[in-house]
Amino acid sequence: MKHHRTSAPRVLSAAVTVVLAVTAGALTAPPVFAAADSSVTAPAGTLQDLPLLKDDSRLAGAGPSGFLSWHGGSGMPITYAWTRYADRSIRELPTQVGLLQTAGTDLLTEPVLGAAHTVFDMATGAPPVVLDLSTLGEGFQRGRAVSPSSVFVQRADPAGGESLHVVTKTEEGLKDEVIAGIPAGADITLAGDLATGTALVKYTDPSAAARGGTRLAVVDIARRAVVEEVTPAHPTGSVAVSPTHLAWVEWPTDTTATVVVTRRGSAAAPLRIPLAKAADVQVELVGGWVLYGQAGHDTPYAGRNPLYALTARSLADERSVKVLDAYTRSTAGQDGTLLVQGGTLTGGEGVYRIAPGADGVPTVRQVASTGRPTALTLLSSDVPAVVDFDKQNPATLAWRLSTTNASTTATLTHVATGRTVLLNLHSSAGTKKDTWNGEFDNGIAAHNGTWTWRLTAKPNNGIGPAIDETGTFRVQRAAVPHDFDDNGLPDVLGLSENGTFERHTVVDAATDWHAEYAQSTVLGTGWNVYDRIVPTANLGGAAHADILTRDRAGVLWLHQGNGEKLDHRVRIGGGWQVYDQLTSAADLTGDGRTDLVATDRTGALWLYKGTGKAAAPFGARTRVGGGWNTYDKIAAVGNLAGAPAGDLVARDRAGVLWLYLGKGDGTFAARTRIGGGWQDFTQIIGVGDQDRDGRGDLMAVRGPSPSLYRGTGDWRKPLAARQYMGAYHLPWGIYF
């Protein structure tokens, strides 16, 4: 059985290569979302072989020697970083306005709107080149390098319309070249270099409404001209271009999308892939495959959606491949490759390079990790090894998962009895947690001893399997008198007319307004052979409360408790028929052991000091006083009124209840009158510390109606007001 303890998140993945499972279907059919999961194999290496990115890093660009990412935001400073493939180093880059990487190159641009653009070549480390576009006039936007000394940039003409430019730094100054093929007055909504030497442009031409709305144009940077155009049938989103194909996403409705792929220079009908549950689908091209997916698998409320995976669809036949289990963002890389931020169940979240394999099928290799798993994972548990409800109540039990977006249950099981508690987990600060007050669902205090926890969690986004984790802990409370089920609270014992001996467990006794007992366990039958039953604390040296019985021949017996039931009785000795009253469950001498007092028929009160030994639990008797035959009920109540040791209460035959404060040496102070009218009760029982406030309590029974009187700790008024205890829980009988 695993026992998880809090630990730092580990780096989840080494450099891994993904072997893709391919499925087949008709070319014109929708993509096959039920394709077999990717199978990931790890070559030689350790889990620390990959660069470890900040968990909130975002992929921003990819080149031959490294890739750009940034992290921060949401009120925190944004930091850009360059990760080199060769030595796996991560270098933070200073910038005031941000950096842009040109896809497929190692060129970074620090662009200032309408002003200086600084170009860095991360491959050569050459001095940066600065192009001050403000010298060319107004309206220049933030551009991106297309060579170490030139940028591709959009300009808003003050007279109206927008245009595209390549601005190059020469020895004579800046050379401004306009991209041909963009009509005057065009409204350009996208101008991005999606692959080395090529840019995709999205624009509308108000003067040519008959030609349709938005147009997609492919720009050849070297030729400084539009070389191809298409008019989508619906509003468009993501676009991608390769030397052979053009792809884009159309949005027929707000929740459906269509991936459209057409061969460049061909009049053939395009491939159309309809998608449902679409929100922000991104499209890419790698070799003879179109890839698509959408981010959101790691958002707090993500549900199941096949688009969270990155899917590749063959442009030559009907094959469909799940490339990654989870997709976040992507950028074109060198020589037709693709760099994707996402995750696999084996490699976790990170950055993956996708490239055509020898057989044409895309292959995947992980190049960086964020250290966070994609599969739902238990990262750590914060369940104390020991829960001491005397020191902490309630106790907090928490489990940190890789995501809180999971349907989670936690079940606690008491090993000895098999009884369970189901926690109501809620998400807080990245954990699933609940507080437990140490009770079962019915309000009964839970047992001490060994417990197991079982956490089951199912990812709401449907990515990966459910988890089922277990661990152990202990519940403990100090032993108390009258506790026969080892839950830290005293019980009431009942004997029915047919001799069935039962334990009744306390419910909610710690509240100010309520104290009940629920019938719990039969401890034995045939107990009507005894004429005295005396619940007591630990007499025999074990950790649990015990019971004394006297049979009708005057023999005294010890029944040791084990926290669940009673062990076989042990004979203490005979001759005990001389006593008419016996009471225990209190330390009267201050030595930490439970003692016994008895009154004989002459009215003498006798003290039997406890030894703590089961074979001989009492020492020789000592006479404490006389005249106790005036009382018809005597009960040892523990420390009821603040004295150094246990106290006694006694009822005289007129119904007056008296308090005898224990001095701690086995003797008692002069009696104090508590009050009259107690003759109505058939039984007066010292039931231990029911509310765990450190003071003994008293239960009085009239017919089937029990009442609880809490100890106050004040000898002048030792009992609080009477509390009803839910008589319907106690059947008719004799109680102890």
Side-chain angles (χ1 to χ4, degrees):
M1 182 173 289
K2 293 176 284 186
H3 188 192
H4 294 267
R5 299 299 299 159
T6 302
S7 60
R10 61 188 177 90
V11 179
L12 293 176
S13 50
V16 295
T17 302
V18 177
V19 181
L20 301 172
V22 181
T23 61
L27 179 62
T28 56
V32 182
F33 292 118
D37 286 349
S38 304
S39 174
V40 181
T41 60
T46 67
L47 295 176
Q48 284 72 36
D49 281 345
L50 294 175
L52 183 62
L53 305 177
K54 298 284 188 181
D55 190 33
D56 64 342
S57 293
R58 301 187 182 187
L59 179 66
S65 67
F67 65 87
L68 181 69
S69 62
W70 61 271
H71 60 272
S74 299
M76 301 294 293
I78 292 178
T79 301
Y80 284 80
W82 177 259
T83 302
R84 288 174 52 87
Y85 303 127
D87 58 9
R88 305 180 182 88
S89 63
I90 301 176
R91 172 187 169 193
E92 292 191 350
L93 304 174
T95 176
Q96 297 296 316
V97 297
L99 295 168
L100 301 174
Q101 181 170 3
T102 303
T105 76
D106 292 320
L107 300 177
L108 304 184
T109 308
E110 186 178 33
V112 178
L113 185 65
H117 283 50
T118 304
V119 179
F120 303 87
D121 190 337
M122 301 303 292
T124 65
V129 177
V130 179
L131 297 84
D132 188 356
L133 304 187
S134 65
T135 61
L136 300 177
E138 298 179 357
F140 284 94
Q141 309 299 310
R142 299 171 77 241
R144 195 183 306 237
V146 290
S147 79
S149 59
S150 59
V151 295
F152 177 69
V153 63
Q154 179 178 339
R155 184 184 186 189
D157 192 331
E162 295 173 311
S163 55
L164 297 173
H165 302 247
V166 174
V167 178
T168 305
K169 186 171 185 176
T170 68
E171 294 182 357
E172 290 78 23
L174 296 183
K175 180 181 179 181
D176 182 9
E177 299 172 274
V178 178
I179 299 296
I182 301 296
D187 180 13
I188 300 174
T189 57
L190 171 69
D193 51 325
L194 304 184
T196 305
T198 305
L200 258 179
V201 177
K202 186 188 302 184
Y203 73 91
T204 57
D205 182 3
S207 65
R211 295 167 53 194
T214 299
R215 295 185 61 77
L216 298 179
V218 180
V219 173
D220 187 317
I221 299 296
R223 294 168 58 181
R224 310 294 199 256
V226 173
V227 294
E228 190 170 357
E229 285 191 333
V230 296
T231 302
H234 300 283
T236 59
S238 174
V239 293
V241 66
S242 74
T244 58
H245 289 84
L246 179 64
W248 64 92
V249 178
E250 294 185 359
W251 296 95
T253 70
D254 291 340
T255 58
T256 61
T258 303
V259 173
V260 184
V261 188
T262 182
R263 179 176 289 277
R264 295 179 61 180
S266 171
L271 171 67
R272 305 183 70 85
I273 306 172
L275 306 174
K277 298 180 67 175
D280 186 20
V281 178
Q282 301 296 304
V283 65
E284 300 285 0
L285 290 164
V286 172
W289 298 73
V290 59
L291 289 76
Y292 54 89
Q294 76 179 32
H297 73 281
D298 53 357
T299 55
Y301 303 104
R304 291 175 173 268
N305 192 332
L307 294 177
Y308 289 148
L310 181 63
T311 301
R313 171 70 179 268
S314 172
L315 301 177
D317 52 40
E318 63 233 22
R319 290 176 295 170
S320 181
V321 175
K322 184 166 73 170
V323 181
L324 297 178
D325 294 300
Y327 171 84
T328 302
R329 56 184 60 87
S330 55
T331 181
Q334 178 191 25
D335 299 331
T337 63
L338 183 68
L339 218 62
V340 180
Q341 184 173 354
T344 65
L345 297 180
T346 52
E349 298 293 300
V351 177
Y352 293 80
R353 179 187 285 117
I354 301 175
D359 58 357
V361 178
T363 62
V364 179
R365 185 175 182 83
Q366 189 170 6
V367 297
S369 172
T370 65
R372 182 163 55 88
T374 299
L376 180 62
T377 304
L378 177 62
L379 302 179
S380 64
S381 69
D382 189 9
V383 178
V386 176
V387 179
D388 188 336
F389 283 110
D390 288 334
K391 298 178 179 178
Q392 59 181 120
N393 197 336
T396 299
L397 287 70
W399 294 266
R400 189 161 69 92
L401 300 173
S402 55
T403 175
T404 57
N405 183 27
S407 301
T408 312
T409 61
T411 303
L412 312 180
T413 303
H414 184 241
V415 172
T417 64
R419 297 190 63 181
T420 61
V421 174
L422 182 64
L423 298 183
N424 183 24
L425 297 179
H426 61 278
S427 300
S428 175
T431 64
K432 292 284 190 174
K433 64 194 309 183
D434 193 16
T435 56
W436 183 39
N437 63 0
E439 295 180 352
F440 292 108
D441 294 337
N442 58 4
I444 296 176
H447 307 295
N448 294 327
T450 301
W451 287 70
T452 64
W453 57 260
R454 182 174 186 175
L455 182 78
T456 58
K458 186 177 183 180
N460 291 336
N461 62 12
I463 299 175
I467 62 174
D468 190 340
E469 301 282 354
T470 60
T472 62
F473 66 102
R474 287 189 60 80
V475 170
Q476 71 179 31
R477 308 174 184 85
V480 296
H482 263 270
D483 178 18
F484 298 95
D485 56 358
D486 195 23
N487 68 350
L489 287 174
D491 308 305
V492 171
L493 304 176
L495 180 64
S496 66
E497 293 181 352
N498 65 6
T500 299
F501 190 51
E502 297 176 332
R503 180 189 70 227
H504 301 274
T505 302
V506 69
V507 180
D508 291 334
T511 65
D512 292 335
W513 59 273
H514 188 66
E516 292 186 356
Y517 293 90
Q519 183 174 331
S520 177
T521 303
V522 173
L523 297 178
T525 58
W527 279 61
N528 47 6
V529 300
Y530 303 114
D531 65 359
R532 289 290 186 272
I533 297 176
V534 184
T536 183
N538 168 22
L539 278 175
H544 310 293
D546 304 325
I547 292 174
L548 293 171
T549 59
R550 186 182 69 185
D551 63 26
R552 301 186 187 281
V555 177
L556 193 67
W557 302 88
L558 172 64
H559 305 254
Q560 286 190 277
N562 61 19
E564 297 179 53
K565 57 184 184 301
L566 299 174
D567 291 333
H568 294 297
R569 67 182 185 175
V570 175
R571 189 180 191 274
I572 296 175
W576 287 79
Q577 69 272 17
V578 299
Y579 300 113
D580 59 355
Q581 295 198 64
L582 300 169
T583 186
S584 183
D587 175 18
L588 302 176
T589 59
D591 62 358
R593 299 188 182 97
T594 302
D595 306 312
L596 174 73
V597 292
T599 61
D600 63 23
R601 290 178 175 81
T602 68
L605 181 68
W606 299 90
L607 169 68
Y608 285 85
K609 290 186 62 174
T611 66
K613 300 176 182 178
F618 301 115
R621 70 178 186 173
T622 302
R623 189 178 190 276
V624 178
W628 286 75
N629 50 359
T630 61
Y631 303 115
D632 61 1
K633 293 291 182 183
I634 298 175
V637 291
N639 187 347
L640 180 74
D647 308 323
L648 295 179
V649 296
R651 183 185 69 183
D652 64 24
R653 301 186 190 283
V656 177
L657 193 66
W658 300 88
L659 168 67
Y660 285 84
L661 283 173
K663 294 181 179 180
D665 59 359
T667 64
F668 302 93
R671 69 180 188 176
T672 302
R673 189 179 191 274
I674 295 176
W678 287 77
Q679 69 274 11
D680 293 337
F681 296 108
T682 57
Q683 295 167 83
I684 297 175
I685 306 165
V687 287
D689 183 7
Q690 293 288 332
D691 51 5
R692 297 191 68 84
D693 63 354
R695 296 183 290 270
D697 302 313
L698 188 71
M699 188 178 87
V701 180
R702 178 168 52 199
S705 302
S707 299
L708 181 68
Y709 292 85
R710 301 179 191 272
T712 66
D714 183 354
W715 64 270
R716 292 162 297 188
K717 188 178 180 180
L719 298 177
R722 174 181 176 180
Q723 272 186 277
Y724 176 67
M725 295 183 65
Y728 53 87
H729 284 292
L730 290 176
W732 181 263
I734 302 174
Y735 302 103
F736 310 92

